[in-house]
Amino acid sequence: MRSCLTRFLLACLLAGTSASALAQATPLDTPALRDWFRMAELDSASGVQAKLRAGQDPNVMGEKGQRALHWALMHESGKAFAALLEDPRTDVEALNAVGEKALWLAALRDRPDWVQALLARGAKLERGPQPEGARAWTTLHYAATASGTKVLAWLLQERCCDLDAGSTNGSTPLMLALGYGPLDAAQMLIQAGARLDLKNDLGLTAWDFARRSGRDAPAERMGVPRPAGAQPGSAAPQTERF
């Protein structure tokens, strides 16, 4: 399920990222840079700090389209992550090659401590309703697909993010929770007031996402309506591209 989520997020993020933006963030590959990212991956705070003292740009993008901050979060390298945040040059709002924020990856790892650390350093959390017709990923989308619900619970308590925000293809946090996250996340979003009747740009509902993961029965018990004409056990059309 996690690999499906990764492909889904990647496809949607690439679809919503302009060619000019990608061109401006061309990944680099040198032995020195590979060693830099290795320090982050191995969670070597001393290695990260030594390279920063030697003049390493903390925001450079590597061959895999990630920056060191993103790379540390992806590998759950807490000490390297903290060392990067200590450097005032680290841009916590810098995006990776597919347009992801470090804050989103911290939410995806369900680490409220990392989320709070990024916010304290200036990361911006999406607040207020999403403008009508707008399409954008939010921290709530990523929290809804995490393996746990700690970050999601905090976001819902703060009432900061739009519950029904549409991603770059119009998918809501509830859709992603039912398709890729824990069922507890879906229940929490429903209890918070997430709409059950929305469709994304592919015409898929929250029930369709649940059906693709074999969760249509528990989704219906939560009150998610089955689309007219859909039969139990019938899969939604496979129109998504991964």
Side-chain angles (χ1 to χ4, degrees), residues 2 8 13 22 38 47 59 62 71 112 114 142 170 186-187 207-208 222 233:
R2 304 305 296 178
F8 176 79
L13 285 163
L22 289 175
R38 190 176 301 111
N59 305 309
W71 199 240
W114 292 349
Y142 280 73
Q187 186 67 63
W207 185 90
D208 291 321
M222 293 180 196

Side-chain angles (χ1 to χ4, degrees), residues 74-88:
M74 291 171 68
H75 290 276
E76 301 190 68
S77 300
K79 295 188 287 291
F81 169 73
L84 286 161
L85 288 188
E86 289 174 359
D87 193 301

Side-chain angles (χ1 to χ4, degrees), residues 43-103:
D43 200 17
S44 173
S46 60
V48 168
Q49 291 165 340
K51 288 188 173 296
L52 288 170
R53 286 194 298 270
Q56 173 64 54
D57 177 3
N59 305 309
V60 68
M61 186 177 292
E63 62 169 333
K64 298 185 184 297
Q66 304 295 339
R67 303 181 196 278
L69 195 59
H70 296 75
W71 199 240
L73 288 166
M74 291 171 68
H75 290 276
E76 301 190 68
S77 300
K79 295 188 287 291
F81 169 73
L84 286 161
L85 288 188
E86 289 174 359
D87 193 301
R89 296 172 297 165
T90 299
D91 182 0
V92 296
E93 282 286 284
L95 307 179
N96 64 13
V98 293
E100 289 178 310
K101 292 181 173 186
L103 183 64

